C-alpha cells in the first residue's frame, strides 16, 4: 500500500495548505498586513505577506498525524520546534522589522541547537566519490552551522518574485531526496520530510504564482530555508529517519522494504562511495551563487550585505525584457538543469564524471555574474541583433488551414484517449482508484478556487490526472472481440501517441515565436515530473510500466499544453472530460465497478 501512503503524505499537506491559505488571506486583509509597493520591489499593489502560515499549518498537521501513527525520532520534533522559533522570528519581522544583527544571532543560535541536539555535524568532506577528508569536530560543526544559516538567508534573499522561492525550494528538495535515496536506499526521509514539504509548497504556489495573491513573508522564507538546510545536512551525512511502525497503519512493510540496510531500489550504488559536496551544492546552486555574488557586490560598494537592492539574478532577467512568469520559469529550468548535472557522479558511478559538478558550478557562477553587466545599451544592442528571429508576417492561408486541421485532429484524439482509457482498463487496482479520486478532488477544488492565470498548480493537477488515467490501463493488454476473435489494440493505442507527438511538433514549428524559447512554470513542470516519477521504487515501477507512462504523459500533456496555449476555451472542455474519466476509473478501482461487454 505504498502508493496510498504516498498519496496521503503528499495530498493531505497540499489540500490543508490550499484550505488554510485563504483563511490567512482574509486575516491579513482584515488587519491590513500588506507588503506595500516601493521602488526596489517588483509588485505594484499591496499584497499580504503571511503565506508562510498556511505552509506551516499544513506541514505541522501532517507531522502530528504521522507522530500519532509512528514512533518518530525525537530529532524530528527538535527540527519542528526550532523551525517554529525561526518562523516566529520572521513573522515578527514581517510585522515590525528586526535589526539584521538580531536576526542573524537568532539564526545562529537555532543552527547550533539543531546541530548539537540532532548530531548533524559534518564529519566528512568529499571532493569526489572516491576522495574525501575527515573533518575535526569543531570545523564540521561550524560548516554545518554555516550551511543552515546560509540556506535561511539565501531563500530569504531570493524571495523577490512571485513563485520564485517556493519553486526553487521544491526543485532543491526533489533533487536532494533523489540523492538521499540513491546513496542510502532509504525512503523514510522522502516519506516523512520531503514529500510533505513538496505538498505544502505546491499548495502555496496555488496562491503565490504570478500574479501572487499572497507572499510567504520573512516567516515563511526563514522556515522554508531552515527546512532546506536540514535536508542538506541529512543528505550530506546520509542520515536515515528512524521511524518505527505503530498499530496496523501498514508502515511495518514499508519500514522492512526501505530499511537503511536495504539495497537501493533505483540503481545499484556502492554505499561506501562518498557523496561529493559539490553535487549537493548544485541542488540549490542559484540561491547560493546569487546570494554570494550579491553580498560580494554590496560589500565592494561599501554597503551592508543585508541592504536590499535590485542586483539579484531575477532582476537582471527582468531588465532583459522578460515578464515575471518568464523569469521564474527560466530560473526553474536553469536550476533543474544544473542540479541534474550535479547528480551525474551518483547516477553513473561506473563513469568518471567527477569533474562535471565543478564545471557546472563554474558555468552557473559565470552566467549569474555576467548578468550583472546588463545595462540599457546592452539591451538595445541585443534587441537590434535579435529582431530577425521574431516572426513578423502572419501565417499563410494554406498553412493556417493545415494548422487548424492538425489542432482539430489533436483535440479529438485527446478526447478519445482520455475517455477511451477507462473502458479498456479491465480490473483497476485499488491504489489507482484512490489516486483517481484524489486527482478528481484536486480538479474540483481548483474549479472552486478558480483564478485567471494558468499557474503551476493547475498544470500539476492536469498532469496528475493524465498520469493516473494512463496508469489505469497500462497493466493490461487492450483487447476487443472482432468476429468472435480477440484483437489486440495496443499498437493502435501507441500509434495515437506517435501521431500526437508528430502533429504537436509540426504545430509548434509552424506557429513558432521567440517568446516560446522562454519557459513558463507550466512548461518547466513537464521537465521535472519525469524525474519525480522515476523515484517510484520497484516493484511498483515495473508493475505500472512507469517508463512508458512517463513518455506517454509527456506527449499527451505537451499536446494539451500547445493546444490550450492557442485555444484557451479547450482547457475547460478537457477538464470536463478528465472529471468524467477520473470518476469512472475511481469508481472501478474503489467500488469494483466493471464494464459488461
Amino acid at each position: 500500500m505504498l502508493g496510498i501512503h504516498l498519496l496521503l503524505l503528499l495530498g493531505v499537506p497540499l489540500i490543508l495548505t490550499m484550505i488554510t491559505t485563504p483563511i490567512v488571506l482574509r486575516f491579513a486583509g482584515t488587519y491590513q498586513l500588506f507588503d506595500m509597493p516601493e521602488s526596489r520591489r517588483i509588485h505594484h499593489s499591496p499584497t499580504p505577506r503571511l503565506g508562510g502560515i498556511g505552509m506551516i499549518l499544513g506541514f505541522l498537521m501532517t507531522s502530528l498525524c504521522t507522530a500519532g501513527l509512528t514512533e518518530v525520532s525525537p530529532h524530528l520534533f527538535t527540527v519542528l520546534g526550532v523551525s517554529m522559533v525561526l518562523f516566529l522570528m520572521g513573522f515578527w519581522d514581517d510585522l515590525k522589522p528586526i535589526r539584521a544583527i538580531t536576526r542573524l544571532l537568532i539564526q545562529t543560535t537555532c543552527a547550533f541547537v539543531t546541530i548539537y541536539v540532532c548530531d548533524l555535524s559534518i564529519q566528512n568532506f568529499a571532493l569526489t566519490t572516491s576522495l574525501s577528508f575527515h573533518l575535526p569536530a569543531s570545523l564540521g560543526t561550524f560548516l554545518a552551522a554555516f550551511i543552515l544559516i546560509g540556506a535561511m538567508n539565501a531563500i530569504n534573499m531570493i524571495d523577490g518574485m512571485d513563485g520564485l522561492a517556493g519553486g526553487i525550494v521544491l526543485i532543491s528538495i526533489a533533487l536532494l531526496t533523489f540523492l538521499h535515496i540513491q546513496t542510502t536506499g532509504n525512503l523514510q526521509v522522502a516519506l516523512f520530510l520531503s514529500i510533505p514539504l513538496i505538498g505544502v509548497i505546491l499548495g502555496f504556489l496555488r496562491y503565490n504564482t504570478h500574479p501572487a495573491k499572497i507572499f510567504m513573508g520573512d516567516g515563511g522564507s526563514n522556515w522554508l530555508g531552515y527546512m532546506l538546510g536540514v535536508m542538506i545536512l541529512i543528505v550530506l551525512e546520509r542520515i536515515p529517519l528512524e521511524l518505527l511502525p505503530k498499530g496496523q497503519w501498514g508502515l511495518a512493510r514499508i519500514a522492512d522494504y526501505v530499511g537503511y540496510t536495504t539495497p537501493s531500489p533505483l540503481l545499484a550504488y556502492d554505499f561506501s562511495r562518498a557523496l561529493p559536496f559539490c553535487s549537493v551544492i548544485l541542488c540549490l546552486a542559484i540561491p547560493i551563487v546569487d546570494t554570494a555574488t550579491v553580498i560580494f557586490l554590496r560589500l565592494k560598494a561599501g554597503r551592508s550585505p543585508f541592504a536590499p537592492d535590485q542586483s539579484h539574478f531575477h532582476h537582471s532577467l527582468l531588465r532583459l525584457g522578460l515578464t515575471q512568469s518568464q523569469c521564474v520559469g527560466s530560473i526553474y529550468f536553469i536550476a533543474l538543469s544544473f542540479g541534474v548535472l550535479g547528480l551525474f557522479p551518483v547516477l553513473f558511478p561506473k563513469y568518471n564524471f567527477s569533474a562535471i559538478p565543478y564545471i557546472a558550478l563554474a558555468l552557473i557562477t559565470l552566467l549569474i555574474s555576467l548578468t550583472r553587466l546588463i545595462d540599457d545599451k546592452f539591451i538595445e544592442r541585443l534587441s537590434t541583433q535579435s529582431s530577425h528571429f521574431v516572426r513578423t508576417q502572419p501565417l499563410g492561408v494554406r498553412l493556417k488551414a493545415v494548422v487548424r486541421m492538425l489542432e482539430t485532429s489533436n483535440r479529438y484524439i485527446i478526447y478519445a484517449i482520455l475517455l477511451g482509457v477507462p473502458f479498456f482498463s479491465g480490473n483497476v487496482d485499488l491504489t489507482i482508484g484512490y489516486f483517481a479520486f484524489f486527482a478528481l478532488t484536486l480538479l474540483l477544488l481548483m474549479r472552486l478556487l478558480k483564478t485567471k492565470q494558468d499557474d503551476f498548480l493547475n498544470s500539476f493537477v492536469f498532469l496528475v490526472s493524465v498520469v493516473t488515467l494512463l496508469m489505469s490501463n497500462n497493466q493490461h493488454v487492450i483487447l476487443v472481440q472482432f468476429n468472435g476473435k480477440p484483437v489486440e489494440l495496443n499498437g493502435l493505442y501507441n500509434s495515437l501517441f506517435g501521431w500526437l507527438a508528430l502533429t504537436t511538433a509540426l504545430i509548434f514549428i509552424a506557429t513558432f515565436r521567440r517568446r516560446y524559447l522562454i519557459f513558463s512554470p507550466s512548461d518547466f513542470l513537464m521537465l521535472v515530473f519525469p524525474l519525480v516519477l522515476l523515484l517510484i521504487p520497484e516493484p511498483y515501477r515495473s508493475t505500472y510500466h512507469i517508463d512508458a507512462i512517463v513518455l506517454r504523459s509527456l506527449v499527451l500533456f505537451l499536446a494539451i499544453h500547445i493546444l490550450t496555449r492557442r485555444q484557451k476555451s479547450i482547457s475547460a472542455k478537457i477538464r470536463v472530460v478528465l472529471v468524467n474519466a477520473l470518476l469512472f476509473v475511481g469508481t472501478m478501482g474503489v467500488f469494483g465497478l466493471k464494464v459488461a461487454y
Side-chain angles (χ1 to χ4, degrees):
M1 300 296 285
L2 179 60
I4 295 176
H5 296 148
L6 288 172
L7 178 61
L8 290 172
L9 291 167
L10 175 69
V12 169
L14 189 155
I15 293 174
L16 286 174
T17 305
M18 289 176 63
I19 292 172
T20 55
T21 301
I23 299 173
V24 176
L25 269 168
R26 182 171 297 182
F27 172 81
T30 301
Y31 292 94
Q32 298 294 302
L33 302 174
F34 295 120
D35 195 345
M36 304 304 294
E38 51 182 88
S39 59
R40 65 180 179 85
R41 299 188 184 275
I42 296 173
H43 65 285
H44 303 292
S45 59
T47 306
R49 57 175 181 267
L50 305 178
I53 297 176
M55 288 191 292
I56 291 169
L57 288 176
F59 187 82
L60 285 180
M61 290 179 188
T62 305
S63 298
L64 291 175
C65 291
T66 302
L69 297 166
T70 59
E71 295 179 7
V72 184
S73 167
H75 292 170
L76 188 59
F77 287 105
T78 301
V79 169
L80 293 177
V82 174
S83 72
M84 286 304 301
V85 172
L86 288 164
F87 165 72
L88 291 174
M89 178 203 72
F91 179 75
W92 184 259
D93 195 25
D94 286 326
L95 300 178
K96 185 179 180 181
I98 300 174
R99 293 176 58 193
I101 186 64
T102 303
R103 188 166 62 244
L104 184 60
L105 285 174
I106 296 174
Q107 290 174 339
T108 303
T109 302
C110 289
F112 278 106
V113 168
T114 303
I115 294 164
Y116 177 76
V117 175
C118 301
D119 193 21
L120 289 177
S121 175
I122 297 176
Q123 300 178 9
N124 295 286
F125 187 89
L127 295 176
T128 66
T129 55
S130 58
L131 179 61
S132 62
F133 302 95
H134 182 75
L135 297 179
S138 58
L139 181 58
T141 300
F142 278 102
L143 179 58
F146 180 79
I147 289 172
L148 270 178
I149 298 168
M152 285 183 273
N153 286 287
I155 300 305
N156 181 266
M157 294 176 72
I158 204 173
D159 185 26
M161 192 173 284
D162 297 349
L164 181 57
I168 288 293
V169 174
L170 188 150
I171 297 167
S172 301
I173 289 175
L175 292 170
L176 288 169
T177 305
F178 192 86
L179 272 178
H180 190 266
I181 295 173
Q182 286 287 321
T183 55
T184 66
N186 184 285
L187 283 179
Q188 292 180 342
V189 169
L191 289 173
F192 298 100
L193 189 61
S194 304
I195 292 177
L197 279 173
I198 290 173
V200 298
I201 293 171
L202 284 171
F204 174 69
L205 286 174
R206 175 69 182 84
Y207 305 95
N208 188 239
T209 304
H210 183 73
K213 290 185 175 182
I214 192 169
F215 299 149
M216 68 173 64
D218 285 344
S221 62
N222 273 277
W223 177 80
L224 211 52
Y226 171 78
M227 300 301 289
L228 180 60
V230 170
M231 275 289 300
I232 294 171
L233 297 181
I234 289 175
V235 172
L236 280 172
E237 290 301 298
R238 296 194 275 186
I239 301 170
L241 286 178
E242 298 298 337
L243 297 168
L244 303 176
K246 178 192 292 185
Q248 300 298 319
W249 196 53
L251 284 179
R253 284 175 293 171
I254 299 176
D256 291 339
Y257 178 71
V258 299
Y260 186 55
T261 58
T262 302
S264 173
L266 297 176
L267 293 176
Y269 185 80
D270 183 359
F271 295 159
S272 65
R273 295 168 65 89
L275 176 59
F277 185 82
C278 192
S279 294
V280 178
I281 293 302
L282 277 173
C283 290
L284 60 157
I286 286 184
I288 291 175
V289 175
D290 185 54
T291 300
T293 53
V294 166
I295 289 177
F296 172 77
L297 290 175
R298 290 172 182 174
L299 291 175
K300 185 179 178 182
R303 294 185 291 113
S304 167
F306 300 103
D309 57 23
Q310 290 192 341
S311 59
H312 286 281
F313 182 45
H314 52 271
H315 292 125
S316 300
L317 295 181
L318 278 177
R319 287 194 290 272
L320 274 172
L322 275 64
T323 65
Q324 279 208 50
S325 294
Q326 291 171 343
C327 287
V328 172
S330 300
I331 293 174
Y332 284 178
F333 177 71
I334 295 170
L336 177 66
S337 301
F338 282 91
V340 170
L341 289 176
L343 303 181
F344 268 49
V346 176
L347 286 173
F348 308 104
K350 295 181 179 179
Y351 302 96
N352 186 17
F353 287 148
S354 299
I356 287 184
Y358 294 96
I359 295 172
L361 187 60
L363 287 175
I364 197 169
T365 302
L366 179 64
L367 172 66
I368 292 178
S369 299
L370 286 176
T371 58
R372 316 296 184 196
L373 303 177
I374 295 174
D375 55 19
D376 293 338
K377 292 183 179 180
F378 175 82
I379 295 172
E380 184 178 351
R381 291 196 302 270
L382 183 66
S383 299
T384 302
Q385 294 173 2
S386 62
S387 59
H388 64 279
F389 287 111
V390 184
R391 183 190 299 276
T392 55
Q393 297 296 325
L395 294 176
V397 175
R398 291 184 180 178
L399 183 56
K400 186 181 295 185
V402 171
V403 169
R404 190 182 301 114
M405 181 187 67
L406 292 177
E407 288 178 337
T408 302
S409 166
N410 283 8
R411 177 155 52 95
Y412 287 109
I413 288 175
I414 290 170
Y415 292 161
I417 291 175
L418 296 180
L419 288 174
V421 160
F423 290 97
F424 296 103
S425 296
N427 297 322
V428 177
D429 282 356
L430 180 64
T431 300
I432 298 298
Y434 281 123
F435 268 99
F437 278 126
F438 170 64
L440 178 62
T441 302
L442 289 180
L443 273 174
L444 296 177
L445 193 57
M446 295 296 294
R447 182 64 179 173
L448 292 175
L449 303 172
K450 186 178 179 181
T451 56
K452 294 181 179 180
Q453 75 269 24
D454 176 23
D455 59 23
F456 189 91
L457 189 56
N458 272 317
S459 297
F460 171 77
V461 173
F462 259 67
L463 194 48
V464 168
S465 303
V466 166
V467 169
T468 302
L469 289 177
L470 293 179
M471 288 178 68
S472 68
N473 78 333
N474 211 46
Q475 293 177 279
H476 314 282
V477 176
I478 304 175
L479 296 172
V480 295
Q481 292 287 336
F482 184 74
N483 285 336
K485 297 180 180 180
V487 178
E488 184 177 323
L489 296 182
N490 286 71
L492 175 61
Y493 182 61
N494 290 327
S495 65
L496 289 178
F497 288 95
W499 174 257
L500 269 183
L502 175 62
T503 53
T504 299
L506 292 175
I507 293 171
F508 179 81
I509 293 170
T511 60
F512 178 76
R513 299 290 189 277
R514 187 179 63 178
R515 65 176 181 272
Y516 292 162
L517 290 173
I518 306 302
F519 285 85
S520 70
S522 298
D523 297 324
F524 163 79
L525 185 62
M526 293 185 296
L527 300 173
V528 72
F529 202 75
L531 178 64
V532 176
L533 283 179
L534 293 176
L535 284 173
I536 296 175
E538 296 290 359
Y540 299 95
R541 194 168 60 180
S542 297
T543 301
Y544 294 106
H545 306 285
I546 294 300
D547 295 338
I549 290 297
V550 167
L551 184 58
R552 289 172 182 168
S553 63
L554 283 176
V555 170
L556 189 55
F557 185 69
L558 181 60
I560 293 173
H561 197 59
I562 295 298
L563 196 62
T564 55
R565 175 180 281 173
R566 290 174 46 80
Q567 301 181 26
K568 300 295 184 182
S569 60
I570 302 297
S571 180
K573 297 177 182 178
I574 292 177
R575 185 180 288 107
V576 172
V577 172
L578 284 173
V579 166
N580 285 279
L582 288 170
L583 179 61
F584 190 78
V585 168
T587 305
M588 291 174 71
V590 176
F591 301 106
L593 176 69
K594 296 181 181 179
V595 179
Y597 297 100

